[in-house]
Amino acid sequence: MSRIILRRLMELVPTLLILSVVIFGLQRLLPGDAALAMAGEDATPELIASLRAQYGLDRPLPVQYLDWLGSVLQGDLGRSLRLNAPVGQLLIDRLPVTLQLALMSMLFALAIGLTTGVISAVKRDTRWDHAANVSALIGISVPNFWLGIMMILVFSVGLGWLPASGFTPLSEGLWPGLRSTLMPAIVLGTAIAAIIMRHTRSAMLQTLDSDYVRTARAKGLTERRVVIRHAMRNALTPVITLTALEFGALMSGAILTESIFNLPGFGKLIVDAVYNRDYEVVQGVVLVTALIFVFVNLLADIGYILANPRLRE
Amino acid sequence: MMPRAAVLPPPDFLPEPDMAEPLIEVQNLAVDFLSAEGPLRAVDDVSLSVERGRTLGIVGESGSGKSVTSLALMGLLPRRSARVSGSVRLDGRELLDLPETALRDLRGDVISMIFQEPMTSLNPAYRVGDQIAEAVERHRGGNAAAAWTRAVEMLRRVGVPSPELRARDYPHRLSGGMRQRVMIAMALACDPDLLIADEPTTALDVTIQAQILHLMGELQREAGTGIILVSHDLSVIAETCDEVAVMYAGQVVERAPVAAIFEAPEHPYTLGLLGALPARRARAGGARQRLPVIPGTVPQLHEMPRGCRFQGRCPFRIARCAEPPPMEPVGPGRESRCWRTPLEALAA
Ligand SMILES: Nc1ncnc2c1ncn2[C@@H]1O[C@H](COP(=O)(O)OP(=O)(O)OP(=O)(O)O)[C@@H](O)[C@H]1O
Ligand code: SF4
Ligand SMILES: [Mg+2]
């Protein structure tokens, strides 16, 4: 088992290298550079050139890349020219917001997706199953911004239960903190809940029809035990992987959701940075987001190995 | 069995257990699968019985309804898509009327089954010892340690080497033969009165096949288990069974004591299985174990002929065969479903 996990860790090295090249490269493909942005509209070519020299933008790309990689590895993500602050600090300030939003929406998606998926499969072709399938289809099709606006209209404007925007840190109280990201988390988690539900349902239908579930029934086990211990146990392992992959969709969905609810997270940071051609910040956000994604998938792979007797040995 | 009267006269207010009453008695069993085009009858008018300590063989080509019949007796057909009718009496109790909860108490305890698919019938996520112990705990109660001990003991009895170690293995570590032994150990762990073995040896090589059949016979002699053995293999049937039911296209077409059926089959289909159909005698040799090939194919469920289901392949067909032949007694303990039995004169 440890050998498989070790191999999985080794595979991480090329993944991360390619990732860094892509992040660095995409950046340079964008029209205009930081020197242009900094110098302003009517700067002289001389001023631009001197700015370029000052920030090393005139050097060959491979050199710039290695230079960048070197400082990233030392934890230095550069400075935001616009906000005049270290990128690392900006990220650390925004991370709790995005992390709280991501975790809450994932929990929401898993809770809803797994339960409805399992129940749908067990009660297949019943009214409950049809209703759940239709809801899932709606959940996937509804645009985030529309759902967000509707929820704000109902729960903030109409009922006044939840704040329409803004973020309260957990340090100012558990409930006020959770409350401030509750609606955004539901908005963000809805489509993922629907996807998890559909995969769980089809995986469950497959295992419920399997020979070993028939064996479990032949032992006289209760249907509850058959479903939970024999069918779910095997159906949910592939769902681990799926959930980790959906984490990517979740991170990108967070950008839009954070702007709807005006949450000061990664989403807002990167949108502003792109407008301002604040390269270092864009790079930093993308890098950290990608690292989180890679890490979550690594965890999922390890979970999958642990859940699989065949791989565990 | 000890004659009770010799020891103590039975109190006359208790009815003497009726030794003639079979362990399981199936009458007019029918199974319909619901499909988009309406119900399809996969098993039709099947009647069987097995006595304690005896073995009934079921033979028939692929698709003749052997597995569906077995699953119907276990109550394991999908409730959503299968309708079972007729009567299945186990020890005088009507199983088809029992609520699911009561059936569950019997399954794996009083009546158990070994499935045709040893490779996929064990749960890949659990150790085989735990999977056997689960059945023991379900029906015998007691603690987990006792159930585990019983699981190991069962593995030993079915001839699994180093059972303490193998019990800790996950199914993927075991060969097909070992997995089938695990399935047998599981099925027998609670000393069932009736064991249904659906092609228990098909997936295995000949030596292991012999061992497993021997083992089932041994366990049967010890515990008086009644066995229904489904098999393609006529030599297996000849060696292990007391009675045979031949199935064709969802029906039992002939039922007889084993010696009689090999000596003088009464149904043209049985003749075909024995490779003895006139003019089309199947070649000897080759697949010794398998059923001889009878020309033609089994009719599909949705295109069952109205009359005799074998008429499309039967060299003895007459006009009357367009009407469905009834199952009729043709000798002591024998029945056949053919307008032209007895066949003696025809088969000469
Ligand atoms: N769940 C099901 N739904 C619909 N039809 C089914 C189902 N299970 C079996 N059948 C049909 O019932 C018929 C009998 O199948 P069964 O599996 O009992 O055959 P068998 O005699 O066991 O064959 P084999 O020797 O290949 O195991 C076949 O035509 C099969 O297609
Ligand atoms: S009833 Fe007719 S067709 Fe059917 S087996 Fe007998 S002789 Fe053949
Ligand atoms: Mg079968």
Side-chain angles (χ1 to χ4, degrees):
Chain A
M1 167 177 71
S2 45
R3 199 140 33 91
I4 298 190
I5 294 180
L6 201 69
R7 203 172 60 209
R8 185 64 188 73
L9 284 171
M10 302 282 277
E11 281 167 14
L12 226 57
V13 175
T15 309
L16 291 177
L17 270 180
I18 294 172
L19 188 73
S20 68
V21 171
V22 169
I23 289 176
F24 179 81
L26 278 182
Q27 196 58 65
R28 304 296 133 147
L29 289 178
L30 293 177
D33 65 14
L36 272 177
M38 245 182 306
E41 299 261 311
D42 26 54
T44 61
E46 290 77 29
L47 175 59
I48 294 172
S50 77
L51 277 173
R52 281 198 175 128
Q54 187 184 336
Y55 288 100
L57 297 173
D58 55 347
R59 292 173 306 163
L61 281 182
V63 177
Q64 290 189 45
Y65 166 72
L66 287 178
D67 190 42
W68 172 75
L69 192 61
S71 25
V72 165
L73 287 178
Q74 289 166 30
D76 175 11
L77 293 174
R79 265 189 97 75
S80 162
L81 304 174
R82 218 25 186 243
L83 303 172
N84 195 25
V87 172
Q89 192 55 48
L90 290 171
L91 291 174
I92 288 172
D93 290 346
R94 295 338 187 251
L95 189 63
V97 181
T98 303
L99 221 49
Q100 182 179 325
L101 175 62
L103 289 180
M104 266 176 90
S105 52
M106 213 61 206
L107 280 181
F108 170 78
L110 281 171
I112 302 288
L114 292 181
T115 38
T116 50
V118 168
I119 295 174
S120 258
V122 171
K123 302 197 176 299
R124 94 173 85 162
D125 292 337
T126 60
R127 237 182 279 164
W128 158 267
D129 181 28
H130 296 311
N133 278 313
V134 171
S135 314
L137 197 62
I138 295 173
I140 289 174
S141 342
V142 161
N144 271 358
F145 71 87
W146 184 83
L147 186 60
I149 291 166
M150 289 327 267
M151 287 192 76
I152 290 175
L153 283 179
V154 174
F155 294 104
S156 307
V157 181
L159 299 167
W161 289 352
L162 293 166
S165 71
F167 179 71
T168 313
L170 284 176
S171 54
E172 288 173 29
L174 188 63
W175 174 235
L178 292 180
R179 216 166 82 108
S180 66
T181 52
L182 186 57
M183 261 201 302
I186 292 175
V187 168
L188 189 53
T190 297
I192 296 170
I195 292 170
I196 292 178
M197 178 265 166
R198 303 221 299 194
H199 280 262
T200 304
R201 178 178 181 275
S202 73
M204 278 297 288
L205 287 181
Q206 225 172 39
T207 52
L208 282 171
D209 262 347
S210 69
D211 291 343
Y212 57 78
V213 162
R214 188 181 59 192
T215 305
R217 294 203 171 105
K219 284 190 254 191
L221 303 181
T222 60
E223 195 56 20
R224 188 188 167 82
R225 192 170 165 99
V226 170
V227 167
I228 294 177
R229 198 175 138 82
H230 288 273
M232 267 173 70
R233 173 66 171 72
N234 289 288
L236 295 194
T237 25
V239 176
I240 301 176
T241 313
L242 171 86
T243 305
L245 288 175
E246 282 305 315
F247 206 81
L250 192 136
M251 293 302 272
S252 59
I255 294 177
L256 184 63
T257 312
E258 284 179 7
S259 8
I260 300 171
F261 291 93
N262 199 19
L263 294 174
F266 274 22
K268 185 136 176 24
L269 187 62
I270 196 173
V271 169
D272 291 346
V274 167
Y275 275 127
N276 299 330
R277 290 195 193 133
D278 204 348
Y279 284 171
E280 313 283 323
V281 174
V282 175
Q283 262 175 0
V285 173
V286 173
L287 184 74
V288 171
T289 312
L291 284 181
I292 292 177
F293 180 71
V294 168
F295 180 68
V296 165
N297 275 278
L298 176 71
L299 284 186
D301 282 359
I302 293 176
Y304 189 78
I305 292 168
L306 291 181
N308 228 317
R310 200 182 283 264
L311 300 174
R312 209 160 32 189
E313 297 177 356
Chain B
M1 184 139 318
M2 194 145 60
R4 283 169 69 195
V7 184
L8 195 78
D12 50 13
F13 51 88
L14 273 181
E16 176 80 345
D18 183 2
M19 293 327 272
E21 162 133 36
L23 171 62
I24 187 165
E25 175 141 44
V26 178
Q27 272 167 356
N28 312 111
L29 183 77
V31 177
D32 292 292
F33 285 111
L34 308 181
S35 77
E37 297 90 50
L40 290 174
R41 183 148 288 202
V43 166
D44 186 39
D45 191 23
V46 163
S47 300
L48 313 161
S49 66
V50 185
E51 281 159 37
R52 285 178 187 283
R54 312 276 282 174
T55 303
L56 168 75
I58 302 184
V59 266
E61 282 164 292
S62 196
S64 53
K66 307 182 296 293
S67 295
V68 173
T69 302
S70 310
L71 292 169
L73 303 189
M74 287 290 289
L76 282 178
L77 287 170
R79 299 207 150 204
R80 252 170 2 99
S81 59
R83 295 283 167 275
V84 181
S85 57
S87 157
V88 177
R89 298 184 77 80
L90 182 75
D91 254 340
R93 233 175 330 189
E94 177 56 59
L95 295 190
L96 296 188
D97 292 342
L98 280 187
E100 179 64 23
T101 47
L103 251 187
R104 260 182 226 140
D105 290 339
L106 299 180
R107 254 189 239 135
D109 185 12
V110 178
I111 166 171
S112 38
M113 179 162 174
I114 303 165
F115 298 98
Q116 203 171 349
E117 303 83 7
M119 298 312 280
T120 50
S121 291
L122 289 166
N123 193 324
Y126 301 109
R127 302 184 300 179
V128 296
D130 285 326
Q131 298 191 50
I132 301 171
E134 190 178 26
V136 178
E137 263 181 272
R138 163 70 176 91
H139 296 292
R140 292 285 173 268
N143 59 17
W148 179 266
T149 310
R150 173 75 176 160
V152 172
E153 179 200 329
M154 286 312 296
L155 285 175
R156 186 188 327 272
R157 284 179 66 190
V158 298
V160 170
S162 11
E164 294 88 358
L165 294 178
R166 292 293 79 76
R168 295 178 195 286
D169 276 340
Y170 288 90
H172 72 268
R173 302 265 308 207
L174 305 179
S175 67
M178 283 300 146
R179 290 191 210 185
Q180 195 61 296
R181 283 165 196 247
V182 172
M183 289 301 296
I184 297 173
M186 189 189 294
L188 294 175
C190 297
D191 298 319
D193 292 343
L194 178 69
L195 173 69
I196 303 174
D198 189 357
E199 311 249 12
T201 57
T202 308
L204 313 177
D205 69 53
V206 183
T207 32
I208 298 180
Q209 183 173 327
Q211 284 175 17
I212 286 188
L213 290 171
H214 178 74
L215 174 85
M216 281 170 48
E218 216 168 71
L219 297 166
Q220 175 175 48
R221 273 188 297 281
E222 282 170 27
T225 316
I227 296 181
I228 295 180
L229 177 71
V230 174
S231 180
H232 272 110
D233 189 332
L234 288 169
S235 62
V236 166
I237 298 273
E239 279 162 34
T240 52
C241 297
D242 303 299
E243 238 210 322
V244 186
V246 178
M247 285 193 74
Y248 183 76
Q251 295 178 321
V252 173
V253 293
E254 178 165 8
R255 201 155 66 127
V258 72
I261 213 163
F262 282 99
E263 234 161 72
E266 283 294 2
H267 193 281
Y269 179 62
T270 317
L271 265 182
L273 289 185
L274 295 172
L277 271 188
R280 298 173 176 180
R281 188 179 295 266
R283 267 179 300 115
R288 181 186 74 86
Q289 306 286 347
R290 295 282 135 190
L291 297 178
V293 179
I294 304 171
T297 52
V298 188
Q300 296 290 303
L301 296 186
H302 60 270
E303 53 184 31
M304 253 341 140
R306 210 188 73 77
C308 173
R309 297 183 171 186
F310 190 54
Q311 58 182 286
R313 304 166 78 184
C314 180
F316 305 121
R317 184 183 53 240
I318 52 174
R320 199 179 185 188
C321 303
E323 295 299 317
M327 192 75 173
E328 285 194 327
V330 285
R334 301 193 62 166
E335 288 180 304
S336 170
R337 192 189 292 274
C338 170
W339 289 120
R340 303 198 69 185
T341 29
L343 285 182
E344 285 164 68
L346 302 166

